[in-house]
Amino acid sequence: YSNNETVIDSFYVTLKNPKEYENVMNQIKNTIEAETDSEIEVDINKDLLRFEGVLSESILGVLYRIAGVIIVIIVVSSVFVIRNSFSISVSEKTKQYGMLASVGATKKQIKRSVLLEGLYIGIIAIPLGILLGIIAIIILLWIVNLLMGDMMEGAEFVYNVPGMAILISVAISGITIFLSCLIPAIKASKIPPIEAIRGTDDIKIKTRKIKTSKLTKKLFGIGGVIASKNLKRNRKKYRTTVVSLVVSISIFIALSSFLTYGQMMTGSYYTDLSYNIAVNGGNEALYEKIATWSGINSYSYSYQTSAEIDVNKYGTDFAKEELENKKQIHEEDFPEDVGKYEYNTLGLTIVMVNNDYFKSYVKSLGMNEKDYSNIAILGDDMMHYLGQGKSKVEHYFNVKAGESMEVTMDDEQKQIKISKITTERPMGYESTYTTGGYLFVSEDYAQITNRENLMRGGLYINAKNSIETENKLNDLKKEDAKFDEILVENIALIAEQQKRIIILISIFLYGFITVITLIGVTNIFNTITTNMILRSKEFAMLKSIGMTNKEFNRMIRLESIMYGTKSLMIGIPIGLALSYAIYKSVAIKTNYGFMIPWWPIIISIIFVFIIVGITMKYSLDKINKQNIVETIRNDNI
């Protein structure tokens, strides 16, 4: 922008309200273009805006959806555990409500009694939950700053108490408690006084609904039959326990798969590399100087040129199909060029690697390093994506090791003999692919004499201490202005940062799994223990008519197995379905193939039987300590 003798090349602004960046950007653009009658570019600092909390609509949409799913899962799980607690509370106090109703308590008063119980719980639980939530976030932020501190160049996350989030939490918690209390409250108010006092309303059964198969009796005996009937006659409590276990199992398996694919996506690129420092923008003299430094294990640099290959003579069907697709796309975009051009040649990228490294590379492939100047190694493998999460390794050239190809370089035709075809790439090219593939040769390759048009590549270093080498490179840039343009990339540091991000994501996801699991375990423990205590009189009667302790314990163990087996039969398929959905979403860009999460499944199986077994054992110990006669005579249970 020029005004008289003043020339402004560019200027930078900071915003009072970063969220208004689009409006400000448009105002600047429109104002300057109106003044100068020329188009200008206005760029934004995306990294700074992200740190200031300004995210794109797509990212915000994803975050809102994730948050919505998490809130729904927590609310539904919480409703299950709280509603179950109140249902059990109502069952325990059914006789009490019947007595109150018999002396004049109205349905409204009984309903209000249950709701008030929920209110008192909310008054204690909600503030305590908010306090624990704040403490948990402060701890998480401390962990985030610890893991990510050196990535943010002195910046750090600080906690600001979000008033709106607290209000939303209070509202969601209040609604959750109200919904959890409402149904038990209505149920308590509708029980007729006589039935409530007699205790006949809690479990109503029909003979055909609790009928068990002969196979159950044959396999598990009378204890198995009674255990099966117990679960069938008390379906609501049985279903609640199973659902709690299913939610925990399926979420654990699904999120474990998410973490597995996340680790593979972020870590696979760097873990396959044989170098930890990359330098771009230098020249051969600089690269050789750096290579003499102490602490350099190995290094490689290269030059590139290209050649044309007759696809009809040397190309595979895949290469011919690729060129035909390229032709169709070109003619669709430029109809005036239809029929003008033929796509008969395929490009091959020739990479000339420095002699010292190329000799060691040749030796690692089992070839004679003394012949390095005549060796040409072809790497034309390409991961071709077929869509719908499927992919296939394809090849461009239909040649074998020992055969020659005619190539065109700088309008000159040459015969190049392929010494070896391999998927093992030299340092710097391990995870890079290009259309047509690569031909790796040395600097002294006999077939290439003209190096004037070669494009210089980067320097790749395997250093003992990547940070120390990076600091030396940065010092070199400061000492000499001619090295100012070189770019230094610490691959080891990037890989370490990726690992930290995965650890951080793991903490958040497993924290979420832990919350859901604790809700489920609380529900399971509450349901099973209370249900066992409510059945104390029934158990005492079974013992009084001759059931031995061994048979009784066997019956309880079989109930535990039935709880766990039913939960696993439902939870594992749901978890696998969610895992497959996650795989399909990540396979769009990177396909590793669907992997069955065996370890999460095994852990889930062990976890379920441990939790159910411990709970049953705890209840069993309490019941076995009771006196049979006193339990039967006790009318307060």
Side-chain angles (χ1 to χ4, degrees):
Y1 174 69
S2 63
N3 184 9
N4 297 331
E5 296 182 357
T6 303
V7 178
I8 301 174
D9 180 60
S10 60
F11 70 100
Y12 305 90
V13 299
T14 56
L15 306 179
K16 292 181 179 179
N17 185 1
K19 293 182 179 180
E20 297 293 328
Y21 78 93
E22 288 186 351
N23 294 333
V24 176
M25 186 173 66
N26 292 331
Q27 287 176 13
I28 292 172
K29 182 177 174 65
N30 295 335
T31 301
I32 295 177
E33 288 181 348
E35 290 284 339
T36 60
D37 290 328
S38 60
E39 291 187 3
I40 65 163
E41 290 186 6
V42 182
D43 295 324
I44 59 173
N45 189 337
K46 293 181 180 179
D47 293 331
L48 178 60
L49 287 172
R50 276 198 294 269
F51 275 112
E52 291 178 331
V54 180
L55 302 173
S56 65
E57 291 295 327
S58 59
I59 294 175
L60 282 173
V62 171
L63 291 176
Y64 286 142
R65 284 194 291 272
I66 292 172
V69 170
I70 290 172
I71 289 171
V72 168
I73 290 174
I74 290 177
V75 169
V76 171
S77 303
S78 300
V79 166
F80 265 111
V81 67
I82 299 170
R83 177 186 174 278
N84 191 47
S85 298
F86 279 99
S87 295
I88 292 169
S89 176
V90 169
S91 298
E92 289 177 315
K93 294 186 286 187
T94 298
K95 190 172 293 186
Q96 176 186 332
Y97 292 136
M99 291 178 180
L100 290 173
S102 68
V103 296
T106 64
K107 292 182 178 180
K108 188 176 182 180
Q109 288 173 324
I110 295 173
K111 183 179 176 181
R112 185 183 298 170
S113 172
V114 179
L115 292 174
L116 281 172
E117 187 178 339
L119 176 63
Y120 294 145
I121 290 174
I123 290 172
I124 298 170
I126 292 174
L128 186 60
I130 291 171
L131 179 62
L132 291 174
I134 291 173
I135 293 172
I137 293 172
I138 291 172
I139 293 172
L140 283 173
L141 286 179
W142 177 77
I143 295 172
V144 169
N145 288 326
L146 184 67
L147 291 173
M148 314 291 287
D150 57 349
M151 296 171 59
M152 298 188 292
E153 299 181 355
E156 65 177 12
F157 289 99
V158 294
Y159 182 65
N160 182 23
V161 179
M164 183 58 67
I166 290 175
L167 290 176
I168 292 172
S169 299
V170 171
I172 291 175
S173 300
I175 292 170
T176 302
I177 292 172
F178 176 75
L179 293 175
S180 303
C181 300
L182 186 60
I183 296 174
I186 294 171
K187 179 183 176 183
S189 65
K190 288 184 176 181
I191 300 174
I194 296 176
E195 287 191 10
I197 294 170
R198 291 172 59 192
T200 58
D201 188 66
D202 191 45
I203 299 175
K204 291 183 178 180
I205 57 174
K206 294 182 180 179
T207 305
R208 58 185 179 84
K209 287 189 176 182
I210 62 169
K211 188 177 180 181
T212 57
S213 65
K214 294 181 179 178
L215 182 62
T216 302
K217 184 176 181 180
K218 190 173 182 179
L219 291 174
F220 305 111
I222 190 64
V225 173
I226 297 174
S228 178
K229 289 181 182 290
N230 284 335
L231 299 182
K232 288 182 178 182
R233 70 170 190 161
N234 208 357
R235 287 182 181 273
K236 288 184 179 180
K237 293 188 175 100
Y238 171 55
R239 192 181 299 124
T240 303
T241 304
V242 169
V243 168
S244 300
L245 285 167
V246 166
V247 169
S248 299
I249 293 165
S250 57
I251 291 176
F252 176 71
I253 293 173
L255 293 186
S256 295
S257 294
F258 175 78
L259 281 175
T260 300
Y261 288 117
Q263 288 170 342
M264 293 177 68
M265 289 178 66
T266 56
S268 62
Y269 177 81
Y270 298 108
T271 54
D272 292 337
L273 302 182
S274 57
Y275 61 95
N276 50 24
I277 294 285
V279 182
N280 289 293
N283 53 40
E284 184 174 343
L286 173 64
Y287 294 162
E288 289 293 348
K289 178 182 178 180
I290 295 171
T292 62
W293 291 354
S294 61
I296 305 295
N297 294 324
S298 59
Y299 70 97
S300 167
Y301 59 86
S302 59
Y303 302 88
Q304 290 185 8
T305 187
S306 60
E308 296 293 329
I309 312 292
D310 187 341
V311 73
N312 293 318
K313 194 171 182 180
Y314 300 106
T316 60
D317 291 338
F318 170 73
K320 295 173 184 176
E321 185 179 340
E322 286 285 287
L323 286 181
E324 184 62 32
N325 292 337
K326 185 178 179 181
K327 178 182 178 181
Q328 291 178 4
I329 292 171
H330 177 83
E331 292 180 346
E332 287 175 3
D333 293 338
F334 304 97
E336 65 275 12
D337 290 343
V338 173
K340 287 186 179 180
Y341 303 101
E342 290 294 329
Y343 287 82
N344 295 325
T345 59
L346 183 67
L348 173 66
T349 301
I350 299 178
V351 180
M352 300 185 72
V353 184
N354 66 300
N355 292 331
D356 289 340
Y357 178 79
F358 191 77
K359 289 177 183 178
S360 62
Y361 172 59
V362 165
K363 188 176 181 180
S364 69
L365 295 176
M367 306 172 72
N368 189 350
E369 61 183 293
K370 293 181 180 180
D371 298 330
Y372 77 95
S373 61
N374 294 312
I375 290 176
I377 299 170
L378 181 64
D380 75 326
D381 54 306
M382 171 63 74
M383 187 66 73
H384 179 57
Y385 294 100
L386 307 173
Q388 297 182 346
K390 297 180 180 179
S391 61
K392 183 181 179 182
V393 176
E394 296 283 4
H395 300 278
Y396 289 103
F397 300 109
N398 190 18
V399 293
K400 297 178 180 178
E403 296 181 348
S404 296
M405 286 195 307
E406 186 180 78
V407 305
T408 303
M409 298 173 58
D410 299 325
D411 297 325
E412 183 182 352
Q413 292 185 342
K414 296 184 178 183
Q415 290 288 331
I416 290 182
K417 183 178 179 180
I418 305 301
S419 307
K420 191 177 184 66
I421 301 173
T422 182
T423 57
E424 296 181 35
R425 310 287 182 87
M427 184 187 295
Y429 291 87
E430 295 96 333
S431 299
T432 59
Y433 297 90
T434 185
T435 302
Y438 292 104
L439 185 72
F440 300 107
V441 298
S442 69
E443 290 178 287
D444 295 341
Y445 185 60
Q447 295 285 28
I448 302 176
T449 56
N450 181 13
R451 294 174 53 182
E452 293 180 0
N453 297 326
L454 297 183
M455 183 175 66
R456 187 170 59 245
L459 170 68
Y460 304 98
I461 303 170
N462 184 305
K464 291 180 181 178
N465 188 321
S466 63
I467 295 176
E468 184 180 307
T469 304
E470 182 188 16
N471 291 336
K472 289 176 70 174
L473 288 165
N474 289 328
D475 290 340
L476 181 67
K477 290 173 64 176
K478 294 175 183 177
E479 292 169 4
D480 195 333
K482 67 181 180 182
F483 298 136
D484 188 55
E485 296 299 320
I486 67 171
L487 300 175
V488 180
E489 192 175 22
N490 190 332
I491 303 299
L493 184 60
I494 294 172
E496 178 63 28
Q497 291 173 348
Q498 294 285 358
K499 289 179 182 177
R500 292 183 192 177
I501 291 171
I502 288 294
I503 291 171
L504 191 60
I505 294 172
S506 301
I507 290 171
F508 281 102
L509 288 181
Y510 280 120
F512 173 61
I513 294 172
T514 302
V515 170
I516 298 299
T517 303
L518 286 174
I519 292 172
V521 169
T522 304
N523 200 5
I524 295 159
F525 186 82
N526 196 8
T527 304
I528 294 177
T529 53
T530 309
N531 189 33
M532 294 283 282
I533 292 170
L534 290 174
R535 291 163 59 194
S536 296
K537 185 182 289 188
E538 172 191 329
F539 293 150
M541 289 179 180
L542 288 172
K543 290 180 179 180
S544 70
I545 59 174
M547 178 177 276
T548 63
N549 283 333
K550 184 178 179 180
E551 290 173 334
F552 177 74
N553 293 339
R554 177 182 170 83
M555 179 188 75
I556 299 301
R557 282 196 295 270
L558 286 171
E559 282 192 29
S560 303
I561 292 170
M562 290 175 183
Y563 273 119
T565 304
K566 183 71 173 286
S567 304
L568 292 167
M569 287 175 65
I570 300 171
I572 291 175
I574 293 175
L576 287 173
L578 293 173
S579 298
Y580 187 75
I582 292 169
Y583 154 71
K584 294 293 285 185
S585 65
V586 301
I588 294 172
K589 292 185 177 180
T590 307
N591 187 1
Y592 298 102
F594 177 65
M595 293 171 291
I596 297 176
W598 290 113
W599 275 113
I601 291 173
I602 292 169
I603 292 170
S604 298
I605 293 170
I606 296 170
F607 164 80
V608 166
F609 286 112
I610 286 176
I611 292 297
V612 175
I614 289 174
T615 307
M616 286 288 195
K617 181 72 167 55
Y618 171 79
S619 304
L620 204 59
D621 289 343
K622 290 184 69 175
I623 291 169
N624 286 333
K625 290 177 183 179
Q626 295 175 351
N627 183 278
I628 296 176
V629 177
E630 291 297 325
T631 302
I632 295 172
R633 291 174 57 189
N634 188 1
D635 290 331
N636 294 321
I637 296 177

